[in-house]
């Protein structure tokens, strides 16, 4: 159906005036200055400078036609392709959509071939290449993550009389404010709220509303930057039986905070909600060694760690209160079937 094919320029012209052009991402300026209705970046995770190519050259080419882009690829660690995938599962970014499909969904690939590959490949290679799983790198901080993401959905009424604590991480500029609420009796995270792009007064109101809804008794609030003024503004609205303490993350305090959460996950001391965005933030979180030989904890470049910090603060509030020693009446009630409580 082509009216003209130019192999040298990798260009195909169609009878209706449409054009298909093909570029190599060995040059991150590919397509710069053109205009497209659709861009398909095949094996996007393998592009060495995908972030620069997308942000500086490819994304602007979609403006004229309000076009779209597709990024089909096998995962390759937790690089920029992983960052784009996160956007597609984040409800706060509805213009993005992600799919994760293992090779077994291909109706033309025999199950026997997949089994043969499983027997031949190392486990991690099979998970990445065939199951399309994103795998943590050598610097990954948190282990045993998926085994701990088993907390059920509950309501405040289910935790009446229980001891609940929380951790709050404030947004700085483009990231998110996150509140994690933990029930010490049930040894489980019961709520995880994440939001941004609203004023500080509304953010404080939303935090207070969640703390009140779950009758949270103790909370740690991150006080770096805007966190300290926000905490001061909240204090006058807090009930007398509630304790909210500031926590400043520094080069000295942050490693202990993160290491405590890592140990919590490794020992499966708490069940956490299976929130997909929070899961990916845990998996991507990494430790790097600076030139001075110090260990630095944080999200990979261009990614966020707000749910990680909020959960770490919630665990700090819960760690010395879990497990809660039950009274004799509470032990009897816990042993009864739910309908008889």
């Amino acid at each position: 159906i082509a009216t003209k094919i130019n192999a040298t320029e990798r260009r195909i012209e169609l009878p209706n005036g449409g054009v298909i052009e093909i570029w190599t991402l060995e040059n991150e300026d590919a397509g710069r200055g053109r205009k497209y209705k659709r861009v398909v970046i095949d094996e996007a995770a393998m592009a060495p400078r995908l972030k620069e190519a997308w942000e500086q050259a490819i994304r602007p080419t979609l403006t004229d036609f309000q076009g779209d882009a597709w990024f089909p690829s096998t995962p390759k660690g937790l690089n920029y392709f992983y960052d784009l995938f996160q956007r597609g599962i984040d409800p706060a970014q509805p213009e993005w959509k992600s799919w994760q499909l293992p090779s077994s969904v291909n109706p033309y690939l025999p199950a026997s071939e997949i089994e043969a590959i499983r027997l031949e490949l190392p486990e991690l290679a099979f998970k990445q290449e065939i199951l399309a799983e994103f795998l943590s790198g050598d610097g990954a901080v948190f282990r045993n993550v998926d085994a701990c993401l088993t907390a059920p959905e509950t309501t405040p009424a289910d935790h009446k009389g229980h001891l609940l604590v929380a951790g709050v991480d404030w947004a700085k500029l483009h990231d998110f404010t996150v509140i994690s609420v933990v029930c010490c009796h049930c040894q489980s995270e019961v709520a995880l709220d994440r939001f941004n792009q609203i004023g500080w007064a509304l953010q404080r109101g939303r935090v207070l509303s969640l703390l009140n809804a779950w009758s949270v008794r103790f909370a740690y609030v991150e006080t770096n930057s805007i966190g300290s003024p926000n905490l001061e503004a909240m204090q006058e609205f807090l009930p007398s039986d509630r304790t909210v303490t500031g926590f400043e993350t520094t080069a000295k305090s942050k490693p202990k905070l993160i290491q405590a959460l890592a140990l919590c996950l490794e020992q499966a001391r708490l069940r956490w909600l299976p929130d997909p965005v929070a899961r990916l933030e845990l998996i991507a979180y990494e430790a790097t060694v600076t030139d001075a030989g110090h260990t630095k904890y944080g999200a990979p470049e261009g990614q966020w760690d707000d749910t990680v910090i909020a959960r770490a603060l919630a665990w700090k509030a819960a760690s010395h209160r879990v497990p809660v020693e039950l009274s004799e009446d509470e032990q009897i009630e816990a042993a009864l079937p739910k309908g008889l409580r």
Side-chain angles (χ1 to χ4, degrees), residues 130-147:
I130 306 302
L131 301 183
E133 293 185 10
F134 290 98
L135 302 178
S136 302
D138 294 336
V141 174
F142 301 111
R143 310 288 180 179
N144 199 39
V145 172
D146 287 331

Side-chain angles (χ1 to χ4, degrees), residues 20-334:
I20 298 173
E21 293 183 324
I22 300 172
W23 304 88
T24 171
L25 281 186
E26 291 177 0
N27 172 15
E28 64 268 20
D29 288 330
R32 182 183 289 273
R34 305 298 180 98
K35 51 185 178 181
Y36 296 121
K37 179 65 177 177
R38 171 162 296 161
V39 170
V40 180
I41 304 176
D42 191 37
E43 291 296 356
M46 313 306 161
R49 300 188 66 188
L50 177 63
K51 186 176 190 293
E52 291 83 354
W54 169 246
E55 293 179 351
Q56 299 175 23
I58 300 173
R59 178 60 184 90
T61 69
L62 300 173
T63 302
D64 291 88
F65 297 136
Q66 298 182 20
D68 58 34
W70 291 68
F71 299 83
S73 184
T74 302
K76 187 179 181 181
L78 303 178
N79 55 14
Y80 187 65
F81 174 68
Y82 168 79
D83 186 17
L84 296 177
F85 182 86
Q86 280 186 294
R87 300 181 190 184
I89 63 172
D90 186 350
Q93 302 192 63
E95 70 277 15
W96 288 82
K97 179 67 178 177
S98 293
W99 293 266
Q100 190 170 23
L101 303 171
S103 298
S104 58
V105 303
N106 183 348
Y108 302 102
L109 187 61
S112 58
E113 178 64 14
I114 294 178
E115 178 61 17
I117 295 174
R118 186 186 67 80
L119 295 174
E120 293 174 14
L121 293 183
E123 181 183 4
L124 294 182
F126 180 79
K127 286 183 175 181
Q128 178 173 276
E129 301 297 323
I130 306 302
L131 301 183
E133 293 185 10
F134 290 98
L135 302 178
S136 302
D138 294 336
V141 174
F142 301 111
R143 310 288 180 179
N144 199 39
V145 172
D146 287 331
C148 296
L149 302 182
T150 58
E153 289 189 11
T154 58
T155 66
D158 298 322
H159 302 274
K160 186 176 181 180
H162 290 186
L163 175 61
L164 289 110
V165 300
V168 179
D169 181 50
W170 295 105
K172 280 76 176 177
L173 184 60
H174 301 295
D175 51 357
F176 292 78
T177 290
V178 177
I179 312 118
S180 170
V181 180
V182 167
C183 177
C184 297
H185 277 75
C186 301
Q187 300 179 42
S188 178
E189 184 181 46
V190 296
L192 185 68
D193 196 13
R194 175 176 177 270
F195 52 88
N196 71 350
Q197 298 181 356
I198 61 175
W200 293 117
L202 287 175
Q203 289 197 36
R204 292 193 297 269
R206 189 158 172 174
V207 171
L208 285 168
S209 177
L210 192 69
L211 297 181
N212 290 332
W214 289 93
S215 301
V216 171
R217 292 281 305 282
F218 303 95
Y220 277 108
V221 175
E222 183 265 337
T223 53
N224 296 43
S225 182
I226 195 64
S228 185
N230 274 329
L231 176 58
E232 291 179 9
M234 286 173 53
Q235 293 289 358
E236 61 178 300
F237 299 102
L238 293 172
S240 58
D241 62 343
R242 181 166 300 146
T243 302
V244 178
T245 304
F247 183 92
E248 185 172 358
T249 52
T250 65
K252 186 176 181 179
S253 67
K254 188 174 183 179
K256 294 180 180 178
L257 183 73
I258 296 302
Q259 289 162 9
L261 179 61
L263 187 61
C264 170
L265 288 163
E266 189 172 322
Q267 297 178 344
R269 294 195 60 192
L270 206 72
R271 295 180 299 168
W272 302 89
L273 292 167
D275 180 90
V277 173
R279 174 187 179 272
L280 291 178
E281 286 191 8
L282 283 171
I283 292 175
Y285 203 78
E286 60 186 13
T288 56
V289 180
T290 66
D291 293 338
H294 302 298
T295 301
K296 180 181 178 181
Y297 293 97
E301 183 180 358
Q303 298 183 32
W304 293 305
D305 64 354
D306 313 295
T307 61
V308 173
I309 299 301
R311 283 175 157 180
L313 290 172
W315 173 242
K316 179 176 175 61
S319 57
H320 59 284
R321 300 180 171 98
V322 170
V324 175
E325 186 174 345
L326 301 179
S327 66
E328 185 175 347
D329 289 341
E330 288 174 328
Q331 292 179 32
I332 294 173
E333 181 180 358

